[in-house]
Amino acid sequence: MSDDAFIFPITPSSPMAEICEAWSVAGVKNVFGSRLNVQQLQSEAGAAGSLHGSVAAGGLGTTFTSSQGLLLMIPNMYKIAGELMPCVIHVAARAIAGEALSIFGDHQDVMAARACGWGMLSSQSVQDCQDVALVSHLATLKSRVPIMHFQDGFRTSHEINTIEALNVEHMRDLIDMDALRAQRNRGLSPLAPVVRGSNQNPDVYMQALESANKYYDALPGIVEETMAEVSQLTGRPLSLFRYAGDPDPEHVVVQMGSAVKVTESILPTLQARGMK
């Protein structure tokens, strides 16, 4: 679903970048029939800056990261969101190194990036990682709001499991071609000069920020609509919020990530005990 992937290895997101690079070297084509352009940068900051350049030129780009790597991307994430540029960052969510280094699953990194103006979608399982990644790429193109798609580091990112894979033709059929043409046409070109990255006083700056609200207001509906389209194709239910349990509950647990499947697995036992 991308023209370009800009990478820098960091545990536990590295396998995603490695697989993309292997596909590129092997000549595997993307949905547009082209070989994915994969470039390794000097740091995660460089990967985010290159991603910014790719989408500013009218391309479709992505990157993969975790932990401090995501934090290094934050300055560019603000710019990408502020300029309403569609793209996806895939995150294997991991603890941030503080008192010590920890390379295991945590949501510290994605929570630290909440203020950047990106939509956020969480995958619960390996199958979800494919399906929700597709939703992310389709929805960002329609909405112009960049999306951060994350999964639990190691617990999900390194789980070996069997999934029902989508083929390229089915993914291509779901692309909003009008939105794709609009993204291509927004690419910086000397033939169609525009002003970007100007310096503004507070009155104008705040008006520009407020003018973006309509895109964010529309995002949940676009994501839900895209999830419905992907669900119709796969037969697997997708929605922004998924509920399992008693229709008239007394206790509700709200979760993201792989913990959801664990909680769902004990529901029959709790319901047999009369708990709601």
Side-chain angles (χ1 to χ4, degrees), residues 1-6 20 29-37 51 54 59-64 86-88 90 137 175 184:
M1 294 291 292
S2 298
D3 303 310
D4 308 300
F6 302 99
C20 280
K29 300 294 193 295
N30 62 16
V31 294
F32 309 112
S34 302
R35 185 175 65 86
L36 177 66
N37 172 40
L51 175 62
S54 170
L60 299 178
T62 190
T63 187
F64 317 92
C87 60
V88 179
H90 298 279
H137 283 274
I175 296 173
R184 301 299 195 204

Side-chain angles (χ1 to χ4, degrees), residues 73-108:
M73 295 183 176
I74 284 177
N76 280 288
M77 291 174 69
Y78 273 102
K79 284 294 293 178
I80 291 168
E83 295 171 359
L84 293 169
M85 293 181 173
C87 60
V88 179
I89 293 179
H90 298 279
V91 181
R94 195 198 100 182
I96 293 173
E99 170 270 332
L101 176 72
S102 176
I103 61 171
F104 295 100
D106 202 313
H107 289 172
Q108 289 181 47

Side-chain angles (χ1 to χ4, degrees), residues 9 28 44 49 82 84 134 145 155 177 180 194 197 209 215 226 272:
V28 176
E44 292 87 355
L84 293 169
L134 176 59
V145 176
R155 176 59 189 85
M177 289 302 174
L180 177 61
V194 295
L209 284 181
Y215 296 94
T226 305

Side-chain angles (χ1 to χ4, degrees), residues 149-255:
H149 166 234
F150 64 97
Q151 61 199 266
D152 288 354
F154 278 116
R155 176 59 189 85
T156 306
S157 67
H158 284 60
E159 179 180 337
I160 298 174
N161 211 325
T162 302
I163 67 168
E164 295 182 19
L166 293 170
N167 63 47
V168 171
E169 289 73 22
H170 287 155
M171 290 191 285
R172 187 188 299 118
D173 291 342
L174 292 173
I175 296 173
D176 185 324
M177 289 302 174
D178 291 334
L180 177 61
R181 278 189 289 271
Q183 167 61 7
R184 301 299 195 204
N185 291 335
R186 283 192 297 268
L188 290 173
S189 168
L191 301 178
V194 295
V195 175
R196 290 186 189 170
S198 61
N199 182 39
Q200 299 170 343
N201 286 337
D203 53 344
V204 176
Y205 177 78
M206 288 308 301
Q207 289 182 66
L209 284 181
E210 291 297 320
S211 69
N213 284 346
K214 65 178 182 180
Y215 296 94
Y216 287 89
D217 290 342
L219 180 61
I222 290 172
V223 172
E224 195 72 67
E225 176 186 303
T226 305
M227 285 180 163
E229 292 172 354
V230 173
S231 292
Q232 186 175 10
L233 172 65
T234 65
R236 293 182 290 274
L238 286 173
S239 62
L240 286 171
F241 299 93
R242 293 179 241 181
Y243 178 75
D246 195 279
D248 186 24
E250 295 175 354
H251 306 282
V252 176
V253 179
V254 181
Q255 292 178 301

